[in-house]
Amino acid sequence: MSTQQAHPTLLIPGPIEFDDAVLQSMSHYSSLRRNSLYAAQALPIYLFHFLTPQPGDEVLVLHTGYFADSFADCFETYGVKPTQLKVKIGERPLLDEIEKALKEKKYKLITVTHVDTSTGVLSELKKLSELVHRVSPETLVVVDGVCSVGCEEIEFDSWGLDAVITASQKAIGCPAGLSISYYSGRAIESFKARKTPPGSYFASFKNWLPIMQNYEAKKPSYFATPSPQLIHALHTSLTQILSIPLSERFAKHKATSQKIKKAVADLGLKQLAPNPADQANGMTAIYLPEGVKAAELLPNLVKKGVIFAGGLHKEIATKYVRVGHMGVSVMDEGRGDVEKAIEALGTGLKEVGYEKA
Amino acid sequence: MSTQQAHPTLLIPGPIEFDDAVLQSMSHYSSLRRNSLYAAQALPIYLFHFLTPQPGDEVLVLHTGYFADSFADCFETYGVKPTQLKVKIGERPLLDEIEKALKEKKYKLITVTHVDTSTGVLSELKKLSELVHRVSPETLVVVDGVCSVGCEEIEFDSWGLDAVITASQKAIGCPAGLSISYYSGRAIESFKARKTPPGSYFASFKNWLPIMQNYEAKKPSYFATPSPQLIHALHTSLTQILSIPLSERFAKHKATSQKIKKAVADLGLKQLAPNPADQANGMTAIYLPEGVKAAELLPNLVKKGVIFAGGLHKEIATKYVRVGHMGVSVMDEGRGDVEKAIEALGTGLKEVGYEKA
């Protein structure tokens, strides 16, 4: 039985609903025996950002919504020159356009938002990475996996990815506060080969690599204080995730996503991403029908016990809403979160005056 | 009764032992009604770093241990030029020396580590700030309060401080993961007047000021995802802290510190900080007696159920140990943490062969 107080079901694209066991792990005392926690994980998990490019470097940013603009802003802050490949809202750059761009200029790295939380657009990583390795083999492939790691298929090594940057609070199912990243050997080499010092103090390989190396060598060392509680909760959620084959987890997210997307279509509503192949499996971004305001619909849904998110893409923020379907809300069917969401959306729309044409 | 599993008492200078109610707050579901949490606080609490100086700016760093070196490293990463005022280990720069330094050059800001966790040295803020305002009124007074906020007296406004930067996991008594900072109006103005764009993306007023302004205006806005669980736990611990006069809290930390320091002296041991006025009230750094190794003593103490920290100051790291006495270990006498620490230190030293001369 849940020890959590009754509360409206949080169905936004992160933070998500968390499993009881994970939340209870948060209330663990501070343990300094972090080694045992780390060692229990099969995956290399390191907690910092990726800042390989040097000032003046050119990078190619594939734009599928808000988070590409964030990537570009971030690069500009550090003197790196982003070129954005933009498309219409709900679409993603085509491989042909990307190939053309890669041939026009030498890019230090290319970034792709695997799932853009602002639009629900899913990018295709495998073919993209093949293309980059073929056309511009020195360009690093950097993936924003914030809304995809844990609910979308990613094969880091076999797809030849160089960096996947994610966070704890979405499909990984651990409360917000951890930045979790994966890097290829050549990404690390690229960092080591840089000629200018890193432009960030905290989010820097320079300060964290020695800590990781000492960790591997079982030597104590210090740069900054981690959060034992968050790491404890992460350990619990990763243990749960790895308790069944990942393929099952991804299939379940896909099936649940299909169910929600069918309900949306049955209501006569359209998604931001019109092409099924470009639709995320952990969230759905839905255009509101003519005359329905998010400011009316969302509070109505809260009264029914479910929380959806408003729009985030600047140009159309008031015209759509977003539903998250990741983690326990998908994997623990007994909670009934998804049915509750579908039911609430249908009756909620009716109550604010919408009738299917 | 505590719901925490039995565990060795963590008596290091942070992270510290946490109150049950605070830890239980961590296992709270993600609530988006953060407004109610914030609004309950009397203090303006904003979660980011301070990066006012521009590349080329000169800053004066008062050195009392490891964390001044960190401050200097951090400034250099962003192109700012630190001048360190160094002293012997266990001491702090005298006001006369600081006055001389301030008269020699124009500094954009001066930094002081209120309590340096590596040495247990307490700096005097009130007279320091008076001096800076008198001699170099345009210089901003920036305080590293990581090991002092919540256990040492600080009067932000009346002492004329411009920034106090702290973290959640020490005397504030909330698990690690929040950076909590206070800024004066003139610090904000100084940021706004800068001519070069800020050198950091995440830790930047440029990205957070609009969020804070929208928050005050009750308008939704987004830059990055905060951790509702940590903020919930912070709310619980601040509510506890503010449930009695702060003066009582500080007096209790002082009295407990005196008790520990007397026990240390009674054992014939010396502190890194020889001058009582320079000794922190939330931690004690103790030189090991000749022939006693930290690598022997610390595991022996763990067997007795208490965890002390080893040395952190590079030059003498193996020659001393550190005891933290902050938060619930001090305020909740029923736990007996302090007596346990004193008892364990005495018998532990005997068991590794030390006898008082």
Side-chain angles (χ1 to χ4, degrees):
Chain A
M1 209 187 82
S2 173
T3 56
Q4 298 174 47
Q5 283 173 270
H7 66 275
T9 306
L10 192 60
L11 293 166
I12 65 172
I16 65 172
E17 288 287 322
F18 300 116
D19 185 89
D20 287 353
V22 174
L23 285 181
Q24 282 155 29
S25 301
M26 291 289 291
S27 61
H28 196 266
Y29 56 89
S30 289
S31 162
L32 293 191
R33 294 173 60 225
R34 287 189 295 272
N35 283 5
S36 59
L37 298 183
Y38 281 117
Q41 304 316 321
L43 309 167
I45 292 172
Y46 297 129
L47 316 175
F48 53 94
H49 301 279
F50 178 76
L51 288 168
T52 280
Q54 302 181 62
D57 278 349
E58 301 271 358
V59 298
L60 183 62
V61 174
L62 303 186
H63 189 285
T64 47
Y66 180 97
F67 291 93
D69 292 327
S70 297
F71 243 137
D73 271 3
C74 184
F75 283 130
E76 277 168 0
T77 302
Y78 297 99
V80 174
K81 296 178 188 163
T83 298
Q84 288 211 49
L85 213 55
K86 295 210 177 188
V87 288
K88 281 206 316 212
I89 292 172
E91 300 190 351
R92 58 177 160 98
L94 297 176
L95 289 178
D96 286 353
E97 301 168 272
I98 301 167
E99 178 161 355
K100 193 164 157 268
L102 287 171
K103 284 175 172 166
E104 274 167 10
K105 204 186 272 183
K106 189 165 180 78
Y107 291 104
K108 174 80 180 197
L109 55 83
I110 182 172
T111 73
V112 55
T113 313
H114 195 187
V115 169
D116 196 303
T117 318
S118 75
T119 56
V121 169
L122 172 70
S123 289
E124 206 284 329
L125 297 188
K126 192 182 173 195
K127 284 184 188 153
L128 171 68
S129 186
E130 277 169 9
L131 169 71
V132 178
H133 284 271
R134 179 170 55 80
V135 175
S136 182
E138 283 170 35
T139 301
L140 299 173
V141 181
V142 176
V143 179
D144 169 351
V146 170
C147 198
S148 74
V149 172
C151 65
E152 303 284 356
E153 199 187 351
I154 300 177
E155 294 190 17
F156 189 82
D157 290 322
S158 67
W159 292 357
L161 308 177
D162 290 299
V164 173
I165 303 164
T166 189
S168 51
Q169 76 275 10
K170 301 214 180 194
I172 287 179
C174 166
L178 296 177
S179 165
I180 303 167
S181 315
Y182 310 75
Y183 300 95
S184 67
R186 67 172 199 157
I188 305 281
E189 290 312 314
S190 159
F191 174 82
K192 286 184 178 163
R194 60 183 293 151
K195 289 182 186 76
T196 53
S200 168
Y201 179 67
F202 184 78
S204 164
F205 274 130
K206 181 183 155 221
N207 287 323
W208 284 112
L209 273 181
I211 302 295
M212 291 187 274
Q213 281 154 353
N214 285 333
Y215 167 75
E216 299 282 340
K218 297 189 197 308
K219 281 189 220 162
S221 58
Y222 173 79
F223 169 61
T225 305
S227 172
Q229 281 74 23
L230 281 169
I231 291 172
H232 200 79
L234 176 65
H235 172 70
T236 303
S237 91
L238 290 180
T239 303
Q240 288 181 347
I241 289 175
L242 296 174
S243 70
I244 61 165
L246 283 174
S247 56
E248 265 180 48
R249 184 177 177 86
F250 299 144
K252 188 95 185 237
H253 276 84
K254 191 157 200 163
T256 304
S257 181
Q258 289 304 314
K259 192 171 173 177
I260 289 172
K261 286 166 171 65
K262 180 176 181 307
V264 166
D266 288 350
L267 283 166
L269 305 179
K270 289 199 185 324
Q271 294 179 53
L272 267 64
N275 179 0
D278 302 347
Q279 293 167 353
N281 293 299
M283 65 167 291
T284 306
I286 310 163
Y287 277 116
L288 289 168
E290 199 71 35
V292 170
K293 286 189 177 125
E296 255 182 290
L297 178 65
L298 296 178
N300 181 294
L301 295 181
V302 174
K303 280 188 215 143
K304 299 183 193 314
V306 299
I307 300 176
F308 285 21
L312 186 59
H313 197 294
K314 281 171 245 172
E315 294 166 40
I316 53 165
T318 59
K319 297 186 176 161
Y320 74 108
V321 295
R322 298 173 299 146
V323 197
H325 29 89
M326 289 176 262
V328 283
S329 289
V330 167
M331 300 306 292
D332 181 356
E333 285 178 278
R335 298 171 62 111
D337 290 354
V338 170
E339 285 66 30
K340 208 166 136 190
I342 292 173
E343 169 72 22
L345 181 62
T347 55
L349 279 169
K350 256 187 216 157
E351 286 171 18
V352 300
Y354 168 71
E355 265 182 69
K356 192 184 163 182
Chain B
M1 210 189 81
S2 172
T3 55
Q4 297 174 46
Q5 283 173 271
H7 65 276
T9 307
L10 193 58
L11 293 165
I12 65 170
I16 66 171
E17 288 287 321
F18 301 116
D19 185 89
D20 286 353
V22 173
L23 286 182
Q24 282 154 28
S25 302
M26 293 287 291
S27 61
H28 196 267
Y29 56 89
S30 291
S31 164
L32 293 193
R33 294 171 61 222
R34 289 188 293 273
N35 284 6
S36 59
L37 299 181
Y38 281 116
Q41 305 311 322
L43 308 165
I45 292 171
Y46 295 130
L47 317 173
F48 53 94
H49 300 278
F50 178 77
L51 287 169
T52 281
Q54 300 180 63
D57 278 348
E58 301 270 357
V59 300
L60 183 62
V61 174
L62 304 185
H63 189 285
T64 49
Y66 179 96
F67 291 94
D69 292 327
S70 297
F71 244 136
D73 271 3
C74 184
F75 283 130
E76 279 168 357
T77 302
Y78 296 99
V80 175
K81 295 177 187 164
T83 300
Q84 288 211 48
L85 214 54
K86 294 210 176 189
V87 289
K88 280 205 318 210
I89 291 170
E91 298 188 353
R92 58 178 161 97
L94 296 175
L95 290 179
D96 287 353
E97 301 168 274
I98 300 167
E99 179 161 356
K100 194 164 156 267
L102 286 172
K103 284 175 172 166
E104 275 168 9
K105 206 185 270 182
K106 189 163 179 79
Y107 292 103
K108 174 81 179 196
L109 55 84
I110 182 172
T111 74
V112 54
T113 313
H114 195 188
V115 169
D116 196 303
T117 317
S118 73
T119 56
V121 169
L122 172 70
S123 289
E124 208 284 328
L125 297 187
K126 193 184 173 194
K127 285 184 188 154
L128 171 68
S129 186
E130 277 170 10
L131 169 71
V132 178
H133 284 271
R134 179 170 55 78
V135 175
S136 182
E138 284 170 35
T139 300
L140 300 173
V141 181
V142 176
V143 178
D144 169 353
V146 170
C147 197
S148 75
V149 172
C151 65
E152 304 282 358
E153 201 187 348
I154 300 176
E155 294 190 16
F156 189 83
D157 290 323
S158 67
W159 291 357
L161 306 178
D162 291 298
V164 172
I165 303 163
T166 190
S168 50
Q169 77 275 10
K170 303 213 180 195
I172 287 178
C174 166
L178 295 176
S179 166
I180 302 166
S181 314
Y182 309 75
Y183 300 95
S184 67
R186 68 175 198 152
I188 304 280
E189 290 312 314
S190 158
F191 173 82
K192 286 182 179 164
R194 60 181 295 152
K195 288 179 189 77
T196 53
S200 168
Y201 179 68
F202 184 78
S204 163
F205 276 128
K206 181 183 156 223
N207 288 322
W208 284 112
L209 274 180
I211 301 295
M212 292 187 275
Q213 281 152 354
N214 286 333
Y215 168 74
E216 300 284 340
K218 299 192 197 305
K219 280 191 224 160
S221 57
Y222 172 80
F223 170 61
T225 306
S227 171
Q229 282 74 23
L230 282 168
I231 291 171
H232 200 79
L234 177 66
H235 173 69
T236 303
S237 90
L238 291 179
T239 304
Q240 288 181 346
I241 289 173
L242 296 173
S243 70
I244 61 166
L246 282 175
S247 57
E248 265 181 48
R249 184 177 175 88
F250 299 144
K252 188 95 185 236
H253 276 84
K254 191 158 201 161
T256 303
S257 181
Q258 290 303 313
K259 193 170 171 179
I260 288 172
K261 288 167 169 67
K262 183 178 177 306
V264 166
D266 289 350
L267 284 166
L269 305 180
K270 288 197 187 326
Q271 292 177 55
L272 268 63
N275 180 0
D278 302 346
Q279 294 167 353
N281 293 299
M283 64 166 291
T284 306
I286 311 163
Y287 277 117
L288 290 168
E290 198 71 38
V292 171
K293 286 187 177 128
E296 253 182 293
L297 179 64
L298 295 178
N300 181 296
L301 294 180
V302 174
K303 279 187 214 144
K304 296 183 195 314
V306 298
I307 300 177
F308 285 20
L312 186 58
H313 197 294
K314 281 171 244 171
E315 295 167 39
I316 54 165
T318 60
K319 296 186 174 160
Y320 74 107
V321 295
R322 298 172 299 145
V323 197
H325 31 87
M326 287 176 265
V328 283
S329 290
V330 167
M331 300 307 292
D332 181 356
E333 285 179 278
R335 297 172 62 110
D337 289 354
V338 171
E339 285 66 32
K340 206 166 138 189
I342 292 174
E343 169 73 22
L345 181 61
T347 53
L349 280 168
K350 255 187 214 153
E351 286 172 17
V352 299
Y354 169 70
E355 266 182 68
K356 189 184 161 181

